[in-house]
Amino acid sequence: DYDKFKGSLSVGLINSGLSIELPLKLFDESSFIIGARRTSYDLMLGLFLKEPGIVFPYYYDVQGNISVKNGSDAFKLSWLYSYEKLNITVSNSQNIFVPGMSFSSLYNIRSPAISFQWSHKENDVSYCEIKAGWEKQDIRMNWDAKAKVIDNSTDITDPDHEYTETFNYDNSITIDKIQFKPVYHYLPSSQHIEAGLEMQYYPRTKQTYDYTRKYFYSNGKSYGGNIYEYTGGAGLYSAF
């Protein structure tokens, strides 16, 4: 039904979502749909579990599409943006595994995507379609730690007897993907004959590492710095 306003709302223990469909008076049949989803368990459990160090990963996405049908041709434009995150922060007083060390850990993924599809019906037994799309993934992992260290091999009056050690590790990955797929369908009877080509191209795959370690002493001295850093990437093409 392309001429009516429609909507839906769902609320659950795991996730919740909302979608709205609007008719578009452009061609014979056309509509616009937009929706969003989000995890809800982290919000519900967060009301009762407030102890430090307890964290819940969460996820949300926003998606939509425009569908148009005009005679024997049909078009669809779709897009999606998703995000997921896990963030852990523990202070030195909360750390029961390594007393005196505080750390924070971050993990997130951002994924935008867009796709286009066109199909043309030639007759009752054959039709062709073309699909094209682009998607991207940005993945980041970060870890920071800070600890107070006592060197018992030195005298307590030695300025180097007590110092603070810090760590930082940052890893980022970016992946781009372009896809193109023309297909011809032939359905003479109960059998289905399909012929086509699917091509995928990865114009950019980039990865960055950064690891830093430093020491800070009570007398103001500091040592250390960037230990390892790497940035690289390459394109990849495949067809089948």
Side-chain angles (χ1 to χ4, degrees):
D1 224 348
Y2 286 88
D3 58 352
K4 293 183 180 180
F5 169 85
K6 290 182 285 187
S8 65
L9 173 66
S10 62
V11 179
L13 296 176
I14 305 299
N15 56 57
S16 302
L18 171 68
S19 66
I20 298 174
E21 181 175 359
L22 302 172
L24 299 176
K25 306 297 183 180
L26 298 176
F27 299 96
D28 295 343
E29 299 175 346
S30 58
S31 67
F32 171 70
I33 302 176
I34 187 170
R37 298 179 300 172
R38 192 198 189 283
T39 54
S40 49
Y41 71 91
D42 58 310
L43 300 176
M44 297 180 181
L45 294 177
L47 298 174
F48 306 100
L49 302 176
K50 298 182 180 295
E51 288 80 2
I54 297 181
V55 294
F56 306 101
Y58 74 90
Y59 166 90
Y60 73 82
D61 66 33
V62 180
Q63 67 272 350
N65 72 69
I66 297 176
S67 301
V68 175
K69 186 176 182 181
N70 186 30
S72 58
D73 295 292
F75 306 87
K76 178 181 284 188
L77 177 66
S78 305
W79 62 91
L80 168 71
Y81 179 83
S82 64
Y83 179 78
E84 55 186 286
K85 179 179 179 180
L86 172 62
N87 190 6
I88 303 173
T89 302
V90 178
S91 66
N92 53 11
S93 60
Q94 300 164 350
N95 195 337
I96 60 175
F97 300 103
V98 184
M101 186 179 78
S102 61
F103 69 89
S104 64
S105 177
L106 173 66
Y107 172 79
N108 63 47
I109 300 178
R110 289 182 171 87
S111 302
I114 186 169
S115 64
F116 173 78
Q117 179 178 345
W118 167 73
S119 61
H120 174 74
K121 184 178 180 181
E122 296 181 350
N123 48 54
D124 292 338
V125 296
S126 65
Y127 71 95
C128 59
E129 63 179 352
I130 295 178
K131 299 178 181 179
W134 166 83
E135 62 181 89
K136 179 180 180 180
Q137 278 194 329
D138 282 321
I139 306 170
R140 186 187 176 195
M141 293 167 282
N142 178 269
W143 191 73
D144 286 294
K146 182 178 181 180
K148 180 183 288 187
V149 181
I150 297 178
D151 186 358
N152 291 320
S153 64
T154 62
D155 188 81
I156 193 171
T157 59
D158 192 321
D160 296 343
H161 178 73
E162 183 177 307
Y163 59 93
T164 301
E165 187 173 1
T166 64
F167 304 88
N168 174 263
Y169 173 74
D170 200 348
N171 184 10
S172 299
I173 303 173
T174 301
I175 302 173
D176 281 295
K177 176 183 176 183
I178 299 175
Q179 185 176 16
F180 179 72
K181 183 180 181 181
V183 181
Y184 180 79
H185 301 268
Y186 182 59
L187 301 86
S189 58
S190 59
Q191 297 179 343
H192 181 188
I193 300 175
E194 180 179 308
L197 176 68
E198 182 173 0
M199 295 176 287
Q200 296 180 356
Y201 175 57
Y202 297 82
R204 183 178 65 165
T205 302
K206 181 180 178 182
Q207 188 166 5
T208 301
Y209 298 97
D210 188 4
Y211 176 45
T212 305
R213 186 172 183 175
K214 294 182 179 180
Y215 304 89
F216 299 91
Y217 292 86
S218 57
N219 61 359
K221 294 189 301 182
S222 64
Y223 301 98
N226 184 274
I227 294 178
Y228 181 64
E229 184 174 1
Y230 166 79
T231 300
L236 177 64
Y237 172 82
S238 65
F240 50 89

